[in-house]
Amino acid sequence: LARQVADPAVPDASSLGERAARPDKPTVTLLLPGQVDARWTLTEPSTVAAIRALAGSEPSFQLAMKECVALIQTHTDACPETLAALCTGKAEGGALPQMEPGQSDLVLFCIEFSLGKFVESLGLVPALLVAQGVGEWAAGVLAGVLPLEAAIQCLAACR
């Protein structure tokens, strides 16, 4: 799924080429794959280390993760230890514990949403969000067409 982010400066997809050609406004595309595969797993120590590093050093990422965790705790009891470990950036160990598919969806959603908020904190507003699976939920929230709480409620209900 590829969806153009609502932006008054970009009325439709046909004008993306014009915006991309303007050197005064960089165009960013954000890819939210939304699925865990063999190359990028939530149990891979290097992936977990990168996420923890962001959570420990980037306030916008940490704030977004904490917001997700608070909402998840409101709507479900899924994976609080895993999310808390990622949130603080200070947890011990290299890999996360094995999770049920619904739990990994919630964790992956939180990570992708938080990465999007981190990108925005750098002053970069994606002109295009490309997403699949759980990433579509994160893209909807980042695009402003879906409230964060509604996305988490739906993901929690599906687990």
Side-chain angles (χ1 to χ4, degrees), residues 52 69 73 77-88 91 96-97 103:
R52 287 184 176 146
V69 170
Q73 290 173 339
D77 61 353
C79 53
E81 301 85 16
T82 301
L83 285 168
L86 284 174
C87 242
T88 62
L96 295 176
Q103 292 178 328

Side-chain angles (χ1 to χ4, degrees), residues 85-105:
L86 284 174
C87 242
T88 62
K90 299 175 184 166
E92 298 289 324
L96 295 176
Q98 290 288 13
M99 294 173 274
E100 298 293 320
Q103 292 178 328
S104 61
D105 286 350

Side-chain angles (χ1 to χ4, degrees), residues 39-93:
R39 291 169 289 147
W40 193 89
T41 66
L42 292 175
T43 56
E44 179 66 36
S46 61
T47 300
V48 174
I51 294 163
R52 287 184 176 146
L54 273 173
S57 64
E58 296 298 336
S60 60
F61 185 89
Q62 188 176 55
L63 181 65
M65 285 291 286
K66 286 183 178 182
E67 187 177 5
C68 286
V69 170
L71 288 170
I72 288 172
Q73 290 173 339
T74 300
H75 297 290
T76 182
D77 61 353
C79 53
E81 301 85 16
T82 301
L83 285 168
L86 284 174
C87 242
T88 62
K90 299 175 184 166
E92 298 289 324

Side-chain angles (χ1 to χ4, degrees), residues 85-156:
L86 284 174
C87 242
T88 62
K90 299 175 184 166
E92 298 289 324
L96 295 176
Q98 290 288 13
M99 294 173 274
E100 298 293 320
Q103 292 178 328
S104 61
D105 286 350
L106 283 166
V107 172
L108 188 55
F109 169 82
C110 291
I111 293 166
E112 291 191 344
F113 169 73
S114 299
L115 284 171
K117 297 308 270 184
F118 169 65
V119 167
E120 289 175 3
S121 78
L122 298 174
L124 302 170
V125 179
L128 189 67
L129 295 170
V130 180
Q132 177 197 13
V134 174
E136 293 176 19
W137 293 94
V141 174
L142 292 167
V145 297
L146 180 66
L148 178 60
E149 186 168 14
I152 287 175
Q153 281 178 314
C154 290
L155 287 168

